[in-house]
Amino acid sequence: MRFFGRKKKKEQELDEAFAKVTKEIQDIDAWDDPKKLEHYILDSCEQIIATTKEIKAEKKEYKLVTKYLDDIQIIDNLPEERYNEVRNAAANILESDRAKTAYLESSKKITDEQFVLMEQEQEDMPGIISRMQENERYQAKIKKEMNDLEGQKSLVEMEINESNRSKKRFTILSILVAVAFASFLVLSFIIEKFTKADVGLYRMILFAVTAIAVGVLFVFMSNLSRDMRKDKKKLNNTISLLNVVRMKYVNVTKAVDYVADKYDVESSYKLLYVWEQYLEAVKEKERFEKNNEDLEYFTGRLIRLLKQAGLYDCKIWLTQTSALVNKDERIEIRHKLVERRSKVRDRMEENTKAVKSERDEIDRLMREHHYYVPEILEIIDSVDKICGLNKYKNVS
């Protein structure tokens, strides 16, 4: 208990540090300000923590699915006499359940598969819904930042294009000044040769005007070159930040899509609706079970038989009693569980890679910009400890 208390205290201190540093950079608008980098580093740290929570939840789900597969194997390997007892109890439950099937079918608003998923993860569903809502909010925030950066990038590119056009115009103007100077100089020699007139003053004026023109052009060209260098640097920084934001958007979108696909919903609001319908269906089911003595008797008998067989989760089979009667249905359930476990394993691998990528990106950004703030380094170190990322530390 003391260990978890220290961990919660450490996470609370980390949240306070996030809040403090975030407050300092809320009024920073200039993209080339180093503080802007801190904003993205903090966002990356928050995303690492969120993804690590996803990995922990996925590991838990992976173990759970494996245990369900083990339960199916236990059932398939039961001695014939013991299996017949289980099968008869399940068949009696199916028969007793027919009286209420019509009512449940008429009032049911979620699929059987959704109901089973809700039942399997009943304790974790509030947290799953909350995480999906947080991911959707973060997705919308990152989408807005990505659009803002796209607009910033387009604006800087327009400025660079305009500067290139101005540079061409100044180059042409410089050539015209040179040609004009040469032409008037040649003309002065011709006049001096044929008229013997004194053109010294004329040449002095010509040199003075040309010098002024060259000076003005030089000043304009210098300012233009400086602005172009500044714009190119701003463009590179914007592209770098845009790549970071795009990576975050892809990661959080994967997390949202994974949950949406798993529970066959379009959004967290739909998932919440399915959860509420499940709770309502459970209440209806409990109402029927209280009024059905036969169902209660055979349900208790089936649970006892399954417990004697050593199953991890006996109650889950009350919603899949037909699979206890029909072996083909158990084969189908096993196939779905294997696919589900494979998806969970793939998702764990993707999230693990995403965490390492986010962590490496933090190191890269800080190394490239040579910006090491003690307060930020302390936050990153705390994130590494909480998420178990010490092995990624100082990875080039």
Side-chain angles (χ1 to χ4, degrees):
M1 293 297 290
R2 190 177 300 172
F3 169 78
F4 288 109
R6 287 200 299 268
K7 186 172 182 182
K8 288 182 178 178
K9 183 178 180 181
K10 185 181 294 184
E11 291 179 346
Q12 183 178 1
E13 291 174 352
L14 180 60
D15 290 340
E16 291 174 356
F18 270 124
K20 181 179 179 182
V21 179
T22 303
K23 186 176 184 301
E24 292 177 359
I25 64 173
Q26 280 179 343
D27 298 327
I28 303 298
D29 293 326
W31 284 109
D32 54 355
D33 194 299
K35 283 287 185 179
K36 202 66 179 180
L37 188 59
E38 295 180 11
H39 172 74
Y40 285 91
I41 291 175
L42 288 177
D43 269 356
S44 293
C45 288
E46 291 174 345
Q47 185 64 17
I48 285 173
I49 293 174
T51 306
T52 301
K53 290 180 180 177
E54 295 283 347
I55 293 173
K56 289 180 180 178
E58 288 155 3
K59 286 181 178 179
K60 183 178 179 181
E61 181 182 357
Y62 185 88
K63 292 179 180 178
L64 183 65
V65 173
T66 300
K67 288 179 179 179
Y68 287 141
L69 285 169
D70 292 341
D71 282 356
I72 294 177
Q73 189 66 34
I74 290 173
I75 293 171
D76 288 341
N77 292 336
L78 284 174
E80 184 176 357
E81 183 180 352
R82 181 66 61 85
Y83 173 70
N84 286 336
E85 291 178 349
V86 171
R87 186 178 184 279
N88 290 335
N92 282 310
I93 290 175
L94 287 174
E95 186 176 351
S96 301
D97 201 50
R98 286 173 187 166
K100 66 176 183 179
T101 298
Y103 175 83
L104 290 177
E105 288 293 335
S106 63
S107 60
K108 185 169 58 176
K109 297 180 180 178
I110 59 175
T111 65
D112 289 336
E113 191 169 349
Q114 286 175 325
F115 186 94
V116 171
L117 284 172
M118 295 294 114
E119 187 170 57
Q120 289 175 353
E121 301 178 6
Q122 184 169 341
E123 294 181 1
D124 297 329
M125 277 312 300
I128 292 172
I129 294 171
S130 178
R131 281 199 301 274
M132 188 177 185
Q133 290 172 339
E134 290 174 1
N135 283 339
E136 285 179 337
R137 285 193 291 268
Y138 186 77
Q139 184 186 40
K141 174 187 172 185
I142 291 299
K143 179 68 173 178
K144 183 179 182 302
E145 289 184 3
M146 190 164 61
N147 290 337
D148 291 341
L149 281 173
E150 289 283 3
Q152 178 76 11
K153 177 173 171 285
S154 298
L155 182 61
V156 175
E157 287 175 341
M158 290 173 61
E159 292 175 354
I160 291 175
N161 290 335
E162 181 59 31
S163 296
N164 285 328
R165 286 192 291 268
S166 297
K167 185 177 181 181
K168 290 180 181 179
R169 288 195 292 267
F170 280 124
T171 300
I172 294 172
L173 187 58
S174 299
I175 294 173
L176 292 177
V177 169
V179 171
F181 171 76
S183 300
F184 282 114
L185 187 61
V186 170
L187 180 62
S188 69
F189 281 112
I190 293 173
I191 293 173
E192 184 180 46
K193 180 178 180 180
F194 288 100
T195 63
K196 305 300 181 179
D198 184 9
V199 293
L201 180 60
Y202 168 80
R203 288 175 182 167
M204 289 179 60
I205 294 173
L206 177 61
F207 277 109
V209 171
T210 303
I212 293 172
V214 170
V216 172
L217 286 173
F218 177 79
V219 171
F220 276 107
M221 289 289 284
S222 297
N223 291 336
L224 185 61
S225 297
R226 184 180 64 251
D227 292 340
M228 288 182 68
R229 287 194 299 270
K230 184 178 179 181
D231 287 339
K232 287 180 180 179
K233 182 180 179 181
K234 186 186 293 186
L235 179 62
N236 290 335
N237 289 337
T238 302
I239 291 175
S240 178
L241 294 176
L242 184 59
N243 289 336
V244 174
V245 172
R246 281 173 176 165
M247 180 179 63
K248 293 177 182 178
Y249 182 78
V250 169
N251 289 337
V252 73
T253 299
K254 283 183 179 179
V256 171
D257 290 345
Y258 173 76
V259 177
D261 179 66
K262 178 180 176 181
Y263 297 101
D264 192 22
V265 294
E266 296 79 28
S267 66
S268 60
Y269 299 103
K270 181 64 176 178
L271 181 59
L272 179 61
Y273 170 80
V274 171
W275 171 242
E276 291 172 346
Q277 293 303 313
Y278 162 76
L279 294 177
E280 185 62 30
V282 169
K283 290 179 182 178
E284 290 293 335
K285 182 181 178 182
E286 290 173 352
R287 226 175 270 131
F288 277 100
E289 289 176 346
K290 287 179 181 179
N291 297 325
N292 193 324
E293 294 180 358
D294 288 342
L295 183 60
E296 289 180 1
Y297 169 78
F298 288 115
T299 296
R301 177 171 173 75
L302 179 61
I303 291 295
R304 286 193 298 273
L305 290 170
L306 294 178
K307 283 183 178 179
Q308 290 172 7
L311 267 64
Y312 166 74
D313 189 351
C314 301
K315 292 184 178 180
I316 192 64
W317 291 100
L318 297 179
T319 61
Q320 302 181 78
T321 48
S322 60
L324 294 174
V325 177
N326 190 332
K327 186 175 182 179
D328 290 339
E329 289 194 25
R330 288 201 302 279
I331 293 174
E332 184 178 352
I333 291 174
R334 180 190 289 112
H335 179 68
K336 289 182 179 179
L337 287 173
V338 169
E339 287 184 342
R340 178 177 162 192
R341 186 170 63 175
S342 176
K343 288 182 179 180
V344 174
R345 182 171 57 247
D346 292 342
R347 181 60 188 159
M348 283 192 295
E349 292 175 357
E350 289 179 5
N351 275 336
T352 301
K353 291 179 182 178
V355 167
K356 186 179 183 304
S357 178
E358 288 271 6
R359 186 62 185 85
D360 290 345
E361 182 65 16
I362 290 175
D363 287 339
R364 187 189 69 80
L365 289 173
M366 296 185 71
R367 186 171 57 250
E368 285 186 0
H369 293 274
H370 304 288
Y371 194 77
Y372 298 92
V373 180
E375 202 164 11
I376 294 296
L377 291 174
E378 184 178 352
I379 290 175
I380 293 174
D381 186 59
S382 298
V383 170
D384 287 343
K385 291 178 180 178
I386 289 175
C387 298
L389 297 177
N390 292 325
K391 62 183 177 179
Y392 295 142
K393 209 170 180 183
N394 297 324
V395 176
S396 299

